[in-house]
Amino acid sequence: MSGLLSGRLAFVTGAGSGIGRVTSQLLARDGATVVAVDRNLDAANATIEALNTKNDHIALEMDVSSSDSISKVLRAVTEKYKRPPTIVVNSAGITRDNFILKMPEADFDAVVNVNLKGTWLVLQQFGKAMVEHNSGGSMVNVSSIVARSGNMGQSNYSPSKAGVEAMTKVVAREFGRYNVRVNAVVPGFIETPMTETVPQKVKDMVIMQCALRRFGKPEEIAEVISFLASDRSSYINGTSIEVTGG
Ligand code: NAP
């Protein structure tokens, strides 16, 4: 299959749902071979089964908050494809919302461990493999607009995503000399399983504050990720692109 990402091996975390799933679809549409990982293997398998291209895509179970789990998957991927990916998308993420006065410390740790440390672990291990293989590449992290605006009930999630943006800038500086670019997308409110449980009252407020007066679709984030993954964005590095509807 020919396309913008033809011949590229793409690695997507959180690929069993929402933005990660649709990103896997669009990267495959654009010609990449996709390794879809999620802590829920059945969900990652369902993502791969729905891809209708002939490339040799696979689904694997991986927990981004576990260094061991990531090394195991990296080994399996390089053994299978004889090279590391040149596209890495960090989409795995969780919320555990509550007011700070009610939030158990464990919910702070869980969110930071997945969203912030998980991104760091994947950047470190996959970045090392990319640097050693010397083939360049593009890494895309998923932050959130609440990293910039703050949001009631998210004293764990908002700072974890602000950290992802800061980390993106640092690692872009460190990997630039190896021709590995690192950028972030900053979504607004996107219709995925993550936002299904948000109370209607809050949804109405979000819509009123959005210039386009609607929620985003995962496709609208995935298109930007595919652009950042491709050579069409070859001089974009160490930055974040807001995709919020204004
Ligand atoms: P989603 O539908 O819940 O998908 C996230 C996926 O990541 C789920 O399959 C989830 O599995 C998986 N996951 C969670 N923890 C993991 C771990 N430790 N290791 C591997 N996989 C893990 O959410 P989404 O809306 O697509 O979110 C994707 C990314 O976009 C997240 O980083 C999120 O913070 C960010 N984001 C979303 C929005 C939005 O409005 N939807 C806005 C801004 C940013 P489980 O289902 O088992 O948890």
Side-chain angles (χ1 to χ4, degrees):
M1 168 165 185
S2 68
L4 206 56
L5 302 177
S6 186
R8 306 277 301 272
L9 183 61
F11 180 82
V12 182
T13 75
S17 177
I19 293 168
R21 171 170 283 178
V22 177
T23 296
S24 302
Q25 287 164 358
L26 295 203
L27 295 177
R29 174 203 70 187
D30 292 343
T33 299
V34 176
V35 178
V37 305
D38 201 286
R39 67 177 172 189
N40 179 344
L41 181 60
D42 288 344
N45 270 324
T47 297
I48 290 302
E49 277 157 22
L51 300 181
N52 53 1
T53 74
K54 290 203 169 59
N55 287 352
D56 187 16
H57 312 290
I58 51 165
L60 295 168
E61 184 177 341
M62 191 185 96
D63 176 356
V64 297
S65 65
S66 155
S67 180
D68 284 351
S69 169
I70 298 171
S71 345
K72 226 183 274 166
V73 163
L74 176 57
R75 246 192 331 271
V77 170
T78 46
E79 260 169 43
K80 176 173 168 63
Y81 295 101
K82 312 292 173 218
R83 56 181 169 139
T86 56
I87 297 169
V88 172
V89 180
N90 278 305
S91 187
I94 59 168
T95 53
R96 295 281 185 279
D97 296 356
N98 215 330
F99 293 129
I100 189 168
L101 298 182
K102 292 185 174 164
M103 186 181 289
E105 186 179 338
D107 284 357
F108 180 86
D109 289 344
V111 167
V112 169
N113 272 335
V114 173
N115 298 4
L116 185 60
K117 189 176 175 197
T119 299
W120 185 82
L121 287 170
V122 171
L123 290 175
Q124 184 184 55
Q125 294 202 31
F126 278 76
K128 182 166 190 277
M130 285 159 94
V131 166
E132 284 174 357
H133 197 256
N134 201 22
S135 46
S138 172
M139 306 178 100
V140 184
N141 302 322
V142 182
S143 177
S144 167
I145 195 61
V146 300
R148 298 174 176 191
S149 63
N151 195 21
M152 299 250 288
Q154 294 197 311
S155 62
N156 48 4
Y157 182 84
S158 299
S160 77
K161 292 299 187 177
V164 166
E165 279 202 66
M167 192 184 293
T168 298
K169 293 192 184 96
V170 172
V171 182
R173 287 188 183 278
E174 295 185 4
F175 287 174
R177 76 195 65 182
Y178 306 109
N179 196 29
V180 174
R181 295 182 295 113
V182 188
N183 291 292
V185 286
V186 182
F189 194 107
I190 310 302
E191 281 170 338
T192 71
M194 181 180 271
T195 50
E196 259 167 21
T197 54
V198 173
Q200 192 56 44
K201 208 168 63 186
V202 177
K203 287 185 177 172
D204 292 344
M205 216 164 60
V206 171
I207 287 201
M208 281 310 292
Q209 285 166 357
C210 174
L212 289 182
R213 291 286 193 275
R214 65 172 178 85
F215 300 132
K217 298 186 190 324
E219 288 76 8
E220 294 174 305
I221 304 300
E223 287 290 2
V224 179
I225 294 176
S226 178
F227 166 70
L228 286 172
S230 80
D231 289 342
R232 279 200 296 179
S233 60
S234 52
Y235 205 55
I236 299 181
N237 192 28
T239 196
S240 304
I241 300 183
E242 277 189 21
V243 189
T244 65

